[in-house]
């Protein structure tokens, strides 16, 4: 199962990158350019807040939500490209094990607070969840950082290699293929690159605190799926042959296995990575996964006090943004992408993924991620400059 998970993770990562690469003007493919973003389980939730009119367009996310009560947070362990990226960078960053960082488990409530706060603010047409959505983050980072940097260094490297006479023809063949399929446009240059790079650096840097820190403590998608996973039917079973060596607990990437006993795990946090069964000593082979139609219940780490505090903070944020931070004259001067909704609805709907910026033929010559003017929600909205 671990090998199968890694293959599926890599396949989805390649699939999402492929969708990203073909998202360019003119878009002439049969598949929707934004189908990748429709995998986000947050999409249908926040669409429900605005009405039922277009919820079925997020059918990939609806399938994931439908399967979650049966299989748990499999999206986080098998599909999410940000989670896959964190897994890939683990050995580079040299993340600590749970043995050394148990204190950070106290922050698990934070992801539920971010989800609740986002829901409260969405009822008042304030969109903050797009900043935290992992698919939006992944697309944003690809658009503004990795794709421009990769194409810049690849093109310069190929042109440099073409000066070597005996490989010149082969290099130019590769260069022609590169310009035809991967980078037919001019080199992309985007503002806000450093701020988005810092945002990514924080996510990766938190891995030095604990493994998958973002997924454990911050990601609102993880909070939503964890809520639906509390009663899941596909359970981790630990046999009586377990010697309590705690290898599974120490190595669990989500810290889902209890410190008190390796036989107890949190369905809210488990992402079905199956690493615990792989790491279990072969001579004992104590860990398996089975269907149980009378499952046990895992409590979410979100108490009444935290619920009240989050609600109060959300209302305070609403008041600040509604009263002290809006300048209508400046807002109405922003030039949005062609065909965009009216300004208020555009701000409410846009998840700052930069897909619109990516597909613009100008590659930064027109559309750019915006900076903050006098409202924090200006940040990374597509704007013509």
């Amino acid at each position: 199962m671990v090998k199968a998970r890694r293959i599926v993770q890599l396949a989805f990562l390649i699939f999402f990158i492929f969708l990203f690469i073909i998202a360019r003007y003119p878009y002439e493919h049969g598949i929707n350019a934004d189908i990748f973003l429709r995998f986000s389980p947050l999409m249908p939730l926040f669409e429900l807040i605005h009405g039922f009119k277009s919820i079925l367009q997020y059918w990939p996310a609806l399938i994931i939500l439908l399967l979650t009560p049966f299989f748990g947070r499999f999206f986080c362990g098998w599909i999410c490209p940000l989670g896959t990226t964190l897994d890939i960078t683990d050995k580079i960053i040299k993340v600590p094990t749970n043995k050394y960082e148990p204190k950070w488990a106290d922050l698990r409530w934070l992801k539920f607070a971010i989800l609740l706060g986002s829901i409260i603010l969405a009822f008042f047409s304030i969109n903050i969840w797009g900043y935290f959505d992992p698919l939006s983050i992944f697309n944003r980072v690809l658009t503004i950082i990795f794709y421009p940097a990769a194409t810049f260094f690849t093109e310069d490297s190929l042109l440099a290699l073409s000066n070597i006479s005996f490989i010149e023809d082969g290099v130019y063949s590769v260069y022609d293929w590169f310009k035809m399929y991967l980078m037919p446009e001019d080199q992309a240059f985007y503002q806000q690159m450093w701020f988005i790079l810092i945002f990514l650096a924080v996510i990766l840097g938190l891995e030095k605190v604990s493994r998958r820190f973002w997924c454990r403590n911050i990601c609102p998608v993880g909070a939503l799926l964890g809520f639906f996973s509390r009663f899941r039917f596909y359970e981790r079973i630990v046999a009586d042959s377990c010697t309590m060596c705690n290898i599974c607990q120490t190595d669990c990437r989500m810290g889902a296995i209890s410190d008190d006993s390796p036989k107890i795990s949190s369905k809210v946090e488990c992402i079905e990575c199956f690493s615990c069964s792989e790491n279990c000593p072969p001579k004992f082979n104590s860990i398996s996964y089975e269907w149980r139609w009378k499952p046990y219940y895992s409590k979410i780490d979100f108490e009444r006090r935290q619920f009240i505090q989050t609600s109060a903070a959300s209302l305070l944020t609403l008041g600040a943004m509604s009263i002290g931070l809006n300048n209508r004259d400046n807002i109405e001067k922003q030039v949005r992408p062609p065909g965009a909704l009216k300004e208020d609805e555009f701000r409410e709907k846009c998840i700052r993924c930069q897909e619109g910026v990516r597909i613009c033929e100008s590659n930064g010559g027109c559309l750019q991620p915006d900076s903050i003017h006098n409202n924090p929600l200006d940040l990374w909205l597509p704007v013509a400059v």
Side-chain angles (χ1 to χ4, degrees), residues 149-160:
T151 53
F152 176 81
F153 287 112
T154 301
E155 184 170 15
D156 278 17
S157 298
L158 289 174
L159 290 175

Side-chain angles (χ1 to χ4, degrees), residues 81-154:
L82 184 59
T84 301
T85 302
L86 295 177
D87 287 344
I88 291 173
T89 57
D90 269 358
K91 293 183 179 179
I92 301 173
I93 299 176
K94 296 182 179 179
V95 297
T97 65
N98 299 316
K99 181 179 180 180
Y100 302 105
E101 299 297 338
K103 59 184 178 181
W104 300 107
D106 294 338
L107 291 179
R108 285 177 176 169
W109 66 272
L110 185 58
K111 62 178 176 289
F112 296 102
I114 292 173
L115 176 63
L116 175 63
S118 300
I119 292 173
I120 293 174
L121 292 174
F123 277 104
F124 296 93
S125 300
I126 293 179
N127 178 349
I128 66 166
W129 67 270
Y131 291 107
F132 298 95
D133 182 88
L135 298 188
S136 175
I137 292 171
F138 187 76
N139 202 76
R140 187 186 309 145
V141 169
L142 278 182
T143 300
I144 306 302
I145 300 174
F146 284 118
Y147 185 72
T151 53
F152 176 81
F153 287 112
T154 301

Side-chain angles (χ1 to χ4, degrees), residues 22-307:
I22 66 172
R24 55 167 53 98
Y25 179 86
Y27 192 79
E28 299 171 340
H29 304 277
I31 189 171
N32 289 321
D34 64 347
I35 190 68
F36 153 57
L37 296 164
R38 301 186 192 190
F39 276 80
S40 172
L42 293 181
M43 289 283 193
L45 170 65
F46 286 94
E47 190 64 33
L48 279 174
I49 295 176
H50 305 306
F52 294 86
K53 182 173 58 176
S54 56
I55 191 173
L56 291 180
Q57 68 178 313
Y58 305 114
W59 58 268
L62 292 174
I63 292 174
I64 291 169
L65 289 172
L66 181 64
L67 294 178
T68 297
F70 297 93
F71 294 100
R73 285 175 61 178
F74 71 95
F75 171 83
C76 305
W78 292 66
I79 298 176
C80 179
L82 184 59
T84 301
T85 302
L86 295 177
D87 287 344
I88 291 173
T89 57
D90 269 358
K91 293 183 179 179
I92 301 173
I93 299 176
K94 296 182 179 179
V95 297
T97 65
N98 299 316
K99 181 179 180 180
Y100 302 105
E101 299 297 338
K103 59 184 178 181
W104 300 107
D106 294 338
L107 291 179
R108 285 177 176 169
W109 66 272
L110 185 58
K111 62 178 176 289
F112 296 102
I114 292 173
L115 176 63
L116 175 63
S118 300
I119 292 173
I120 293 174
L121 292 174
F123 277 104
F124 296 93
S125 300
I126 293 179
N127 178 349
I128 66 166
W129 67 270
Y131 291 107
F132 298 95
D133 182 88
L135 298 188
S136 175
I137 292 171
F138 187 76
N139 202 76
R140 187 186 309 145
V141 169
L142 278 182
T143 300
I144 306 302
I145 300 174
F146 284 118
Y147 185 72
T151 53
F152 176 81
F153 287 112
T154 301
E155 184 170 15
D156 278 17
S157 298
L158 289 174
L159 290 175
L161 288 173
S162 68
N163 294 321
I164 304 174
S165 58
F166 67 91
I167 61 171
E168 180 179 0
D169 292 341
V171 170
Y172 271 117
S173 296
V174 174
Y175 180 80
D176 291 341
W177 180 87
F178 170 77
K179 292 300 292 182
M180 180 175 292
Y181 296 106
L182 294 184
M183 188 60 181
E185 315 97 334
D186 294 331
Q187 176 63 44
F189 295 97
Y190 295 113
Q191 61 189 25
Q192 291 296 308
M193 182 195 72
W194 288 108
F195 290 100
I196 294 174
L197 182 60
I198 290 171
F199 189 84
L200 174 65
V202 169
I203 295 176
L204 295 177
L206 288 172
E207 291 293 287
K208 292 297 290 183
V209 176
S210 71
R211 195 174 186 184
R212 279 214 180 198
F213 186 98
W214 177 272
C215 310
R216 293 189 194 194
N217 306 311
I218 300 177
C219 182
V221 170
L224 177 65
L225 297 178
F227 181 82
F228 285 113
S229 297
R230 293 180 299 160
F231 300 97
R232 66 180 171 87
F233 299 103
Y234 195 55
E235 294 186 356
R236 174 180 175 270
I237 307 296
V238 181
D240 293 335
S241 59
C242 176
T243 61
M244 306 291 182
C245 66
N246 286 333
I247 292 176
C248 58
Q249 189 277 329
T250 301
D251 292 340
C252 179
R253 70 192 63 215
M254 291 296 292
I257 301 174
S258 172
D259 294 335
D260 300 326
S261 172
K263 293 186 176 183
I264 302 174
S265 59
S266 170
K267 294 182 178 181
V268 176
E269 303 300 331
C270 177
I271 59 172
E272 307 297 321
C273 69
F274 297 101
S275 295
C276 56
S277 59
E278 181 188 50
N279 295 333
C280 186
K283 62 180 179 180
F284 299 110
N285 196 23
S286 303
I287 300 175
S288 62
Y289 285 78
E290 300 176 10
W291 290 96
R292 285 194 175 181
W293 300 110
K294 291 185 179 180
Y296 65 85
Y297 161 79
S298 291
K299 183 181 178 182
I300 63 173
D301 295 311
F302 197 55
E303 301 174 355
R304 181 184 301 175
R305 172 176 57 84
Q306 293 161 342
F307 177 88

